[in-house]
Structures are given as structure tokens and as C-alpha cells.
Amino acid sequence: MSYIPHTEAERQEMLAAIGIQSMEAMFDAVPAALRFPTLDLPEPQSQLEVTEIMTALAESNESAADFALFRGAGAYHHFIPPIVNHLIQRGEFLTAYTPYQPEMTQGTLQATYEYQSMMCALTGMDAANASHYDGATSLAEAVTMTRALARGRRNKVILSPNIHPQYRAVVRTYHQGGSVRIDGDDGAVERNDHQGLLALLDEDTAMLAVAYPNFFGEIEPIAAYAEAAHSVGALFVVVANPTALALLKSPGELGADIVVGDGQPLGVPLSFGGPYLGYFATKQKYVRRIAGRIIGETEDADGRLAYVMTLRPREQDIRREKATSNICTNQGLMSLAACVYLAALGKHGLRQVATLCYQKAHYAARKLQELPSYQVNQSSPFFHEFVLICPRPVREINEALIEHGIIGGYDLGKDFPEMADHMLVCCTEMNRKEEIDEFVERLAEVGA
Amino acid sequence: MKALEPTLYDKSVPDRKGITLPELDVPLSEMDAALLRDDLALPELGELQVVRHFTRLSQLNHAIDLDLYPLGSCTMKYNPRLNEDVARLPGLAALHPLTDDEGSQGALALMFQLQDWLAELSGMTAVSLQPAAGAQGELAGILMIRAYHQQRGDTQRDIVLVPNSAHGTNPATVTMAGYRAVELPSDENGDVDLNALRAACNDQVAGMMITVPSTLGLFEAHVLEVVEAVHNCGGLMYMDGANMNALMGVVKPAELGFDVMHYNLHKTMSTPHGGGGPGSGPVAVNEKLAPFLPGPIVVVDEGADEDEEAPRYSLQMPEHSIGRLKAFHGNFGMHIRAFAYMSIYGASGLHEVSKHAVLNANYIRANLADTYLIPYPRMCAHECVISGQIRGAEEVHALDISKRLMDYGFHPPTNYFPLIVPEALMIEPTESEDKATLDRFIDAMKEIAREAREEPDLLLTAPHRMPVKRLDEVKAAKELVLCCKPALPPSAAAGN
């Protein structure tokens, strides 16, 4: 009973105040035959024992704490300045909830407003929400939003086959009960057939979504997509890696109407896939159709500047069955982490991170290209990930690399059976030159 | 306008550098200038300025760590720091989500164990940890019900019944899943109106969503009859597990007849609310729905060598899965924390959690009964709903009582929910609070009732001791200033 403070004397006083004899008497309304079942769960453990059990579990994993990591594919290993963890663990942030009562939650509200602002700066948009669950659900919500903006008159959604396969899967899960038609991916067009993708655009298209950089690391001609989508009256959605946006032209500048993605690279640990945060930015003229929380500026009764959740009447707790999304929480603490991260690195630091990522990945690609049995896909410019075509199945290569303390790139054969010898390699500022050199050396050995 | 704390952009100074990274240690590659942006409108601050900024902001918040946070339906219990530490163990925090199964056995074992425990606690057969929050758990549940009917060719079903006391996510979920929500009235005891339910049950009904105990904080008196009525017309029963903090070791939802439910690990299992998330909303199902679970889920590898010390775990998509709800494997960091919490308590402790949560709520109810109207005066579960209508102070509303409570150092209860109670105040103290804290809260509520009659202005203009007074929410919605000006793209900034 580690976290329950009651003493026996207090329990008795409280029962007397309620007017009953026993704790059990509070549950008389529960069907008697089913009341107080046996629970087959372990015995209680002390904090020391739980720490030991969990340390053993943690240490049995092959993590970036002990291995050189060359894997990204939607989750990226970056340096997290210590102040991120220190500040988000302040109890006033950690143990508060949704700022329903703004007079008592100005801290969370202002930090979220600042997070929104910095996401606008990165994406080139002028409105952002307080976050969704992750990049994949942000994309699913973009589908809902563009269809709502088309007032049900456009039923087709085109997803580039170069968007993360798990993101595309989530869009399908979310929209399996509706009338939306998803086109473009899952074999509809070849993955390098940009013209084929654009040929799908028609008057029934609500949106076209592409990734920037795409799942394979490539930087595609975004502005051309934007123009084509707009020419049929469709909205243009870009799924972007926020680190890349420190260097690359902003999606807003290239014509995006909505920019979504995963904010994990901004100060959130890998943590086996979550919790991350899905950022969602758009043009202010569409803001009334965004799902999720939005913080706005206002003033109090004394004219003091303050912040508040705004546009509440869109939300499920007020519109109920008329709401287009049921989202209730955001990823509050993760958006705070991203906010602190961006503030701590600032303009200069984030650019430095992005430059290091770009340079190290290009160095690795150049060295790998020199290996006779490997081939780097160089059909498009890339940011910090690229496809390496290997002489053997990636699964076998990675099994060999792990013996040398290296977690190799992602095995694309897991999602695309025809790509069993294609490895998606990622480098970040965490990969020092010696590490990259050893990676190349070991690959040469394995591929010989 | 005067600000409590200037924004990051207000404090930014051109060319000030924050944290820097190592110098480039590889030969330089060319970058195509045509791909690059000209400017990046992020603030420029030093590390200490950043620390002070967020520390000052934090001090403008109320939090569980400061005092009682009796926000009904949100289960604002103590967030143990043990959980924070174990979630940050390097082997967990630095584990890539696409690590091969062989390299993530520790993480998979933890998830498998948690799935198993949550199944046992609910009496269900199988669990998926995929949903990132309760609302996603709800969506998973209704999509599974839909997939179940479709697979049986039972395709005419298109409505889901939802009581009028339900949380707003329930009807919104039903719509999202492509069904129509039909609202059911409550009877004079706050329970589902059985006659109305029976009249609504037909072969159009795909299922029903109810919260147990109800959003009024009551154990539904005839829950078995409700379940039976819906099952008899071929519908499935969804239990919203938002109030699971009242049920651990008290009753298993599967034994009540529910087919599917979700947990809120950020409520029942103490993972921190973090100013609005992250949550985690695992779904638990019986045998009927197990093949439809969102995936992947963790399974024990069949055919593993029986002589091996530990089973081998792998990730697997259930046979007829409704699909993925998010990338990767759910909010794993929350799974770690819930695992630590359940390990600390074990079976006996979790039962004590629920008993003490219910004890604390009833203690508040009993002590406020003379001062406030209690619309359903019977034993409550882990939260109690009172009415904010005070005799002799008709101009005072629930909102005013809430704002005044802040001056006493407490976070207000949930206001105006459930919708069927006029001026509702929903109070959920949780098991974490000791008697002295509850007594201070009770005294404050009584004092506020007195003030409402004698000095109503004190309430109508409250709060008085917070960093800001009441806010102009209309102005916020009308002017829509959603972003610091320097962060706006040049085109938008010019328009402002």
C-alpha cells in the first residue's frame, strides 16, 4: 500500500462519518455474486525490487545506449540537452492536467502557445495545434480535416507511396468506417512514378499527401506537387521531419496547406516508439477545422496578457456526436519537451543539428558507394537517410553487425518484400566519424 | 499588454547562442542551395534564460504535487517518481522501436506482462496496448465491434446506444467509426432508463457504450439487465474504463458481460497527466473480439525451445486486426510506468486502491450533504457529483464556486458534467489524499457556500489570488492570436 496514506484510525473515523461499518459496505450496489473476485496478479513488490526487475529488463535490450545506431525510419536518435528532462519533470508541469481552468494553468498554456509558435516557424504555417498522438495520427486527422473542408463533396485522398508505411496504415484504420477512398499507395503507382501519382488528381480529390523527406530519405519536388494539387482544387498536405526543416525550405514556402509530422526528433527519447507527439500546422483560415486543442492569446479582467484554450466549441466534449474527431488529450508533456528543446538549441543550435545530420549521412553514403558490392540509391537528393542496396539480405547483414555492437539500418524487406536487400541507413549528430568508418568497414566484411 | 512572463520570442536576442554541438568531424559535402531556406524564425536564448523561463512558467500552474486536484473523471492521483526513473533507464528510453525482436526481448516481456495483468484485472481474454489514449481505445473498441458484425455478414447494424450521461468522446467516437449515436435517457436514480433501452434494442443496434461506474459516480443498479438487453438484440457491450479506479478487485467487467473495454493508464495506473497527455488507452476484449484487436500485440513465440529459461516474445498482428492506431507499439513509456505501478501494488494493493478511492469520495459526499444539493443521494463510487445551485445565492453558478476554490489553493472539480445534472460539480479525490487534505477541502466548500449567500461578489469576481483574473475567452476566439508574431511566415505577418 505504498502510495495510500490512510491510517487505521482515519479509516474508522471516515467510515463513521459516512455512517457505515466496513469498507465493503460501500459496494452493495455491485451484483453480489460477482463482487470482490480473486485477482491472479503477483505479490506487491518494494520500490527497490521493482527497480531491480526493471533494470534487468532494460539491460536485456539492445539500445542506442550501448550500440552504435544507424536506424531511423520514423524514429530518430538525437542528443537531448539535459535541461529538457529537468524542466519537463518539474512537478508543476508533470502532474498538471489539461488547462481547463486557465487562471491556474498559465504555465502550461503559455508553453503550449510558444510550442505552437515554433512549429509555425519551422513549417512556414500560421497556425498549429497543441499536438496529436504521433505523426501517423496527425496524418489521419489531416484526412478528416480536408474532407470536412470539402464538405463531403470530395471523397478521394491520395497518399504518396513514399509516406511511412505505418502512417498510411493508420490512415486506413481511422477511416475504415467512412466513405473515403484512398489511392496512390499500396501498388496503385510505382514509388518513383511522380507523374503517375499526379495523374490520379481529379475533381473528386480532397487532398494529396507527400513526405518531406520521404520514408526513403529522399527530397521530392514538393512545389510541383503543390501546384498540381491546387490545380484541381485539392489541398496539399506535407508530412515533414522537423529536424530537416531547420535547413530545407519550409513546406509553407513550397505551397503546403497542412503540414504534419512526428515531433519526436525534437527532444523526445526513442522509448521503443512512444510517447511521441504529432504536430499539426495549417493556415489560419482553416483553423476552425483543426481537431485537438489550440491555445490563443487573450487578456484577463485587469487587462493582463494571458493564454487560454480557444475554439472549444469544435471539440467533442461540447459538440458530442457532431464533432469530427474524438481526440481529448494531446501529447502535452511531449510538446513541452519539444518546446524546451527548440528554445534550448534555438535557431543556431537546431541548424547545427540538421547540418551535422546531413553531413554525416552524406559522408556515410560516399564511403559506402566506394564499396564494390554495395550501391547507394542516388536518384534524388536526401537529408539524413538513404537506401543502400546490399549484396545479401539485410536481415543477415544486421545479424552480423550486431555482433560488432552496431545496429544496422532498417530492413526495408519488412514492409516491401521486393526490397529484402535494401537497407534504409540513417545518420544523426550521434554518429561520430569513427563509428561511421567502422560501420562501413563491417559492411564491407559482411558483403565480401 | 503586461505579461506575467515574456515569451521566448520577447526574450530572444539576435546571435545569442544556446546549446552547441560538436564540430563537424567529417569532410564537407555540398548542399544544393535551391533546397535551402533563407531564415529560421526560432528564438535565440542562453541556457540559463531558458531554465528560468520554464521554471517561472511552471510556477503559474497548479498540480497534484502542490495540492488536491479533484477533477472528476480524470483520476488525478499521485504520480510516483519511481515510475519516472524506470521509464528513463537507458535500455528502455534509448530503445529504437524498429529493433529486431531478438534485441527487444526485455521491452516485449514488459509489454506481454502488462497485457496479461490488464486482462486479468478486467477478466478479459486479450489486450492490445496500441491505443495512445482513452479516446483511441474507444475508437478501437467500436471499430472492433463493427468488424465483428461485418465479418458475420450482419451488416444492417448502424447505431450505437449511448446514455445521455456519457462523456462527449463516446458519441464522437461512434460518429468517427461510421456509426450513428442514439442517446438514451437516464431514470430518476441516474441509471440507464431500462424501458427506454429495451424499446431502443433492435437489429439495427451494433452495440452500446456505457461507463462503469457511471459518469454520475454511481454503480449502475441494474447493469446486468442493461448488458442482457443489448446482447439479446445481437449488440455488443463496450465499457468505458475511465472510472476503473473504482473497480479493481471489486468486479471484473468481463464477468458483468462486457465484450470490450479500454483502460486509461494515465488515470487508473498513475502515469502522469503532463499538462494534457500523453495518455495510454489499452483495449481489453473477450474471445469474440480477440481476433480483431488493433496490433501489433506481443505474443509468446510458439515453437520456442521449452528448455530455454525465458519464453521468446514477438510482435504479431491479430488475425482479423482492425489495423494500427499509431506508428510503432503504443505509448511504451506509459506501459513502463503502469508496469511499475502494478508491480508495487500487486493484487491486494490494487484492490486497496479502489477501496480507498471510494472511501475518500464518500467521505466528501457525506460531509457536503448538509451544505450542497446531492442529486443522487446514495453511496457513490470513486467520485461524487454535487450541484452548484446554492439556496439563497441564485446568481452564483458552479463556475463561480470553482473559481473561488482556486483562492483556497485547490483545483476545481469538473464543471457542468455530466450534462444531466444542472450546475454539476464532479469531485474525484482519489485514494492518494489523506483525511486532513479532504477536511481542508470540505471546510473550503462550506466556507464558499457561506460566502455565496453573504458576499456573492467574492465568488462572482473570483479568483482573487491567482496570477491572473478571469479571462476574456470571447476575445481569444474572436481575434485568434495563435502564434507569437516573430514566428509567423513573412506573408502571414504582413497580413496581420
Side-chain angles (χ1 to χ4, degrees), chain B residues 235-255:
Chain B
L236 297 186
M237 284 301 296
Y238 186 94
M239 190 188 103
D240 183 324
N243 295 343
M244 194 65 197
N245 212 39
L247 295 189
M248 293 188 289
V250 171
V251 67
K252 293 182 175 180
E255 294 183 356

Side-chain angles (χ1 to χ4, degrees), chain B residues 300-322:
Chain B
V300 173
D301 258 349
E302 298 292 337
D305 190 347
E306 280 184 23
D307 296 335
E308 283 189 29
E309 284 171 36
R312 277 188 35 83
Y313 301 99
S314 64
L315 288 162
Q316 195 179 78
M317 226 44 196
E319 194 185 354
H320 303 297
S321 177
I322 56 160

Side-chain angles (χ1 to χ4, degrees), chain A residues 6 36 40 62 71 85 90 96 101 104 108 114 117 166 173 245 272 284 298 300 305 326 330 359 366, chain B residues 2 29 37 53 58 61-62 88 95 98 103 120 135 173 250 275-276 324 328 360 469 472 480 484:
Chain A
H6 301 63
F36 308 133
D40 182 15
E62 292 164 358
R71 199 167 295 178
N85 252 312
R90 284 191 66 93
Q101 299 288 347
M104 200 166 220
T108 292
E114 291 171 350
S117 301
Q166 297 194 2
T173 305
L245 297 185
F272 204 46
Q284 186 152 340
T298 189
D300 77 351
L305 178 67
N326 72 352
N330 59 352
Q359 291 295 345
R366 224 168 41 238
Chain B
K2 223 177 109 200
S29 303
R37 68 194 294 163
H53 176 72
S58 78
N61 270 2
H62 183 76
R88 288 172 172 84
L95 183 61
L98 298 172
E120 171 61 19
T173 299
V250 171
R324 303 188 148 270
F328 311 123
N360 279 1
K469 296 270 178 71
D472 187 346
L480 282 183
C484 298

